[in-house]
Amino acid sequence: MVEIELDGQKVEVAEGCMVMHAAEKAGTYIPHFCYHKKLSIAANCRMCLVDVEKAPKPMPACATPVTQGMIVRTKSDKAIKAQQSVMEFLLINHPLDCPICDQGGECQLQDLAVGYGGSSSRYEEEKRVVPVKDVGPLISMQEMSRCIHCTRCVRFGQEVAGVMELGMIHRGEHSEITTVTGDTVDSELSGNMIDICPVGALTSKPFRYSARTWELSRRRSVSPHDSTGSNLIVQVKNHKVMRVVPFENEAVNECWIADRDRFSYESLNSDERLTQPMLKQGGVWRQVDWQTALEYVANGLKNIKNDHGANSIGALVSPHSTVEELYLASALVRGLGSDNIDYRLRNAEFAAPEGIRWLGTSIASLSTLQSVLVVGSNLRKDHPLFAQRIRQAARHGCQVSVVDSALADWAMPVKHSLLQPAAQWVAALGGIAAAVAQEKGASAPAGADAVTEGALAIARTLLGGERKALLLGNAAAHHAQATQMLALANWIGENTGASVGYLTEAANTVGAQFVGAHPVNGGLNAGQMLSGGLKAALLLNTEPVYDSAAGASAAATLSGSDMVITLSPFKANMEFSDVLLPIAPFTETSGSFVNAEGRLQSFHAVVRPLGDTRPAWKVLRVLANLLGVPGFDFETSQDVLARATNAPAGTVTQLAAAQMSNAVKTVPVAATAAAGEPVVASIYQLDGLVRRSTSLQLTADARMAREGVAA
């Protein structure tokens, strides 16, 4: 440790730290633009000049290493004059358009100009003008004349997103940030460039000119998309969601969010929102009141139960639904006497779970791995923020290995890869297990395969180092031999010291298991229900045509049911549904999600429900009351959560270690690989919200997914 004196205060920091780090530890603010705690040091802006005793001139705090006994003054006349001079240079070419700038009110340059800028400018020449650039549907670069060349966006692309999509060309006042070749910015994390831009050069294209920052109310929430459980700040004006930005949580999403977390809010205000209950009569949809719709559903379910038995009723539920919604859906179906409920819509195998499948380690630990094997996942697109953490680990020497059908561009170095059709993934893992056994001189497990050169290379990386993980992706979870793969993965983990876990597909995949939203007493699984096993189907927040392995055939199957009830925020499943009940999306209801590491995060509604929309937990409660199902006397979603967790609401923030397990005791003997690849949603087809976000559907990722389907 090194001790320095900062503005008369003794501060102790690790050797190799910069003066800026010491100032942060001491709680002293040093003005800056180019410095960002998550990015490398560039020392471009010079705004952080400070007075270091015995130094001949002011020194940049972000790039000056501490030395024992160093004396630093951040508020001396020498430091202040240096910072004022830098500010004068920064403002020379900056346009005078603060009144119309989207960054106004949250602009670092604007804020610091108040303290360090002059009351008038000595510069009388013409200001420079930078050409407008079109870099895609998410980021606006219409006002690059505002750019102060801090290069935060460039460094973010290189270091965090892993793709250098922006760069600086030319020199001096002719310098400009550009894509060089005129390409679009297509990273799945690109929206974070908007947040870290300290001026109004990079702004949100969907949000552009729609509100002023001081008009917005800021409310916390949790992302309903992938299993990271990203913490969000939802910004609201006049009961309408206007913008979504990250809430910093180092243990979960750090200070980043994926583009689908940021821009999916567009669907909340789309024309496809369902705002009033609807019944199909004579093939024609008509709007009705809630009482009529719920009584129609209750009477229909009673009649079907009387005529065909309770086992003819089932529910297909989305793992993007909240803990409370999934718990009540499960309780409702079981209260009717059926066990037909399932969230595993894209799975090909439905082995009875022996524990809650989870990540097997903490999310934060992914950043410090020394070796990782990822099986059956397009990691960068399926889990952008997990990929970002593993990318940071790779930058520090982590060896990344892959078993998959094809090697996608993960924007990180992949050391070893075994590329085989999905039907051969069990054999690939068996080969790695055999290689581990060979290296250790141990007995290979049942199912071990021949040792290949690639398997041996992966085995050796897993045997080296201390911090390592074996991660099974969405395709591995949906695989027809998922349990066999998990059993082999567990053996490899036990013999290499690696943690084993699932990346888990959706915001509440772990929560769905926790509340038992799957058959536990011999009920029909999702595959059986979508093969024609139901007379009455309850669809909670899901569109089986897009969300299930059955795909288009789900429509024909469900059309043959006597009654299909869809609970959705959107006009969905209209082709085969009989009733549409408008339920609130995550911004209009309170609830909880459990992320991949088992962290339970609750949130409140940030806006009031649109039209006659109602929270799904309330709809399920009233429906249960009409059906005479006991135990549905909940007054709030917190009451539901307390029942689901068997603990007072708010006391459970992490599922108990005893509840979560990736262990396998029984491997299905007859399991065989299905023809073709496992069904996995592309990045902007994951759920109904992203599918209806106009800007996300204009991205290169969405376009390529559509072309791939067409082909």
Side-chain angles (χ1 to χ4, degrees), residues 227 272 317 384 440 490 523 654:
S227 59
E272 291 191 55
V317 296
K440 294 187 69 176
N490 282 334
Q654 178 72 38

Side-chain angles (χ1 to χ4, degrees), residues 265-283:
Y265 74 88
E266 285 185 296
S267 61
L268 301 172
N269 308 313
S270 72
D271 294 337
E272 291 191 55
R273 280 297 301 272
L274 179 66
T275 58
Q276 192 168 343
M278 300 180 73
L279 293 180
K280 185 191 287 182
Q281 294 185 334

Side-chain angles (χ1 to χ4, degrees), residues 381-534:
K381 302 301 180 182
D382 292 347
H383 303 279
L385 293 178
F386 290 171
Q388 183 274 133
R389 284 191 180 270
I390 293 174
R391 188 175 296 119
Q392 302 316 308
R395 286 170 56 84
H396 292 93
C398 175
Q399 294 186 317
V400 181
S401 303
V402 178
V403 173
D404 210 333
S405 303
L407 185 59
D409 179 11
W410 286 2
M412 70 178 83
V414 174
K415 185 77 172 177
H416 305 292
S417 58
L418 278 179
L419 304 182
Q420 298 178 353
Q424 298 177 27
W425 289 354
V426 171
L429 283 175
I432 296 170
V436 169
Q438 177 179 301
E439 288 292 294
K440 294 187 69 176
S443 300
D449 209 72
V451 176
T452 63
E453 187 176 336
L456 188 59
I458 292 174
R460 285 172 176 165
T461 63
L462 288 174
L463 285 166
E466 295 178 359
R467 300 181 300 278
K468 41 208 170 182
L470 198 163
L471 302 174
L472 299 166
N474 295 351
H478 302 163
H479 198 279
Q481 295 171 298
T483 306
Q484 289 172 272
M485 292 172 62
L486 178 58
L488 285 168
N490 282 334
W491 189 93
I492 295 169
E494 290 168 8
N495 286 272
T496 60
S499 66
V500 177
Y502 282 104
L503 293 166
T504 72
E505 179 184 40
N508 210 20
T509 300
V510 175
Q513 299 173 76
F514 173 61
V515 298
H518 51 75
V520 293
N521 292 309
L524 300 179
N525 59 50
Q528 292 167 328
M529 286 189 268
L530 288 169
S531 297
L534 299 179

Side-chain angles (χ1 to χ4, degrees), residues 310-317 333-334 338-345 350 517-519 522-539 544 548 550 553-561 564:
N311 288 331
S312 64
I313 301 172
L316 296 166
V317 296
V333 170
R334 293 192 172 105
S338 173
D339 191 41
N340 305 333
I341 183 166
D342 212 344
Y343 72 92
R344 301 168 295 181
L345 303 181
F350 301 93
H518 51 75
L524 300 179
N525 59 50
Q528 292 167 328
M529 286 189 268
L530 288 169
S531 297
L534 299 179
K535 290 294 183 181
L538 187 74
L539 307 180
S548 75
S553 66
T557 299
L558 290 169
S559 295
S561 300
V564 177

Side-chain angles (χ1 to χ4, degrees), residues 1 4 144 154 205 240 263 338 465 529 558 564 606:
M1 299 294 284
I4 70 167
M144 287 305 290
V154 177
K205 193 171 277 189
K240 182 178 179 181
F263 296 108
S338 173
M529 286 189 268
L558 290 169
V564 177
V606 299

Side-chain angles (χ1 to χ4, degrees), residues 101 127 254 395 504 523 529-530 549 581 679 705:
C101 179
K127 291 179 180 283
E254 300 177 86
R395 286 170 56 84
T504 72
M529 286 189 268
L530 288 169
L581 301 178
V679 176

Side-chain angles (χ1 to χ4, degrees), residues 166-177:
L166 294 177
M168 185 182 289
I169 60 173
H170 307 312
R171 300 182 68 183
E173 73 167 7
H174 301 293
S175 299
E176 59 180 283
I177 301 293

